[in-house]
Amino acid sequence: MGQDQTKQQIEKGLHLYQSNQTEKALRVWMRVLEKSADPAGRFRVLGCLITAHAEMGRYKDMLKFAVVQIDTARELEDPDFLTESYLNLARSNEKLCEFQKTISYCKTCLNMQGTSVSMQLNGQVSLSMGNAFLGLSIFQKALECFEKA
């Protein structure tokens, strides 16, 4: 599957998803994931799958796709993609109440300063870290993270 076709199929899945045809969108995205040789397209479709599974409460599936997305980001050797994928991994662990892992992945994101995406994601990273500290009942650190967010 070429880059243009990958992009078209991702857009088709987004249109289905926005039309509340979630299962059809997931099938389209899974087909793209299986057939696409374009790493950037695979990264993007993994992001769609992560978001959809998060919104449906399927957190183990969200985590599974986040791990694949990290591998794809490493293959691309792009620090922006890597930062975004670590945030998705942190969020997945947050939803699964793996708060120590969430904090670790958030710190990894924050240590990747200098990427263009990292500045845009810092608020979201701080929010996830705050939620993790809250889950661990470390209220002062949670408050500090929320203030940063």
Side-chain angles (χ1 to χ4, degrees):
M1 186 179 285
Q3 286 181 345
D4 290 340
Q5 193 175 13
T6 298
K7 186 176 178 180
Q8 288 173 348
Q9 290 299 305
I10 291 170
E11 293 301 323
K12 178 182 176 183
L14 285 170
H15 179 71
L16 289 167
Y17 189 73
Q18 291 165 349
S19 301
N20 291 324
Q21 298 180 48
T22 306
E23 292 304 322
K24 286 183 182 179
L26 291 176
R27 284 193 296 274
V28 168
W29 290 330
M30 288 303 295
R31 204 168 35 249
V32 170
L33 193 58
E34 292 167 6
K35 294 184 178 184
S36 179
D38 171 36
R42 288 176 51 82
F43 184 89
R44 185 163 178 232
V45 80
L46 285 162
C48 294
L49 288 164
I50 290 165
T51 300
H53 284 88
E55 290 178 358
M56 292 185 296
R58 296 179 185 170
Y59 304 129
K60 286 184 181 180
D61 289 330
M62 180 186 178
L63 177 63
K64 178 181 75 172
F65 290 118
V67 169
V68 175
Q69 191 182 47
I70 287 262
D71 293 338
T72 304
R74 286 186 178 134
E75 179 184 335
L76 286 163
E77 297 179 354
D78 185 311
D80 289 336
F81 286 145
L82 200 54
T83 300
E84 185 178 335
S85 60
Y86 270 107
L87 175 58
N88 285 329
L89 193 56
R91 287 179 177 158
S92 302
N93 280 286
E94 176 191 337
K95 298 294 185 183
L96 292 167
C97 299
E98 294 285 349
F99 301 124
Q100 292 292 352
K101 289 180 182 179
T102 300
I103 292 166
S104 176
Y105 292 129
C106 286
K107 286 180 179 179
T108 300
C109 286
L110 293 173
N111 288 334
M112 295 177 138
Q113 293 299 321
T115 66
S116 58
V117 167
S118 68
M119 296 308 290
Q120 298 168 358
L121 297 180
N122 276 348
Q124 295 174 42
V125 172
S126 294
L127 184 61
S128 286
M129 191 181 293
N131 288 337
F133 281 126
L134 193 60
L136 293 170
S137 299
I138 304 174
F139 302 114
Q140 185 58 43
K141 284 192 176 191
L143 182 60
E144 291 169 11
C145 289
F146 292 144
E147 287 173 346
K148 283 181 190 175

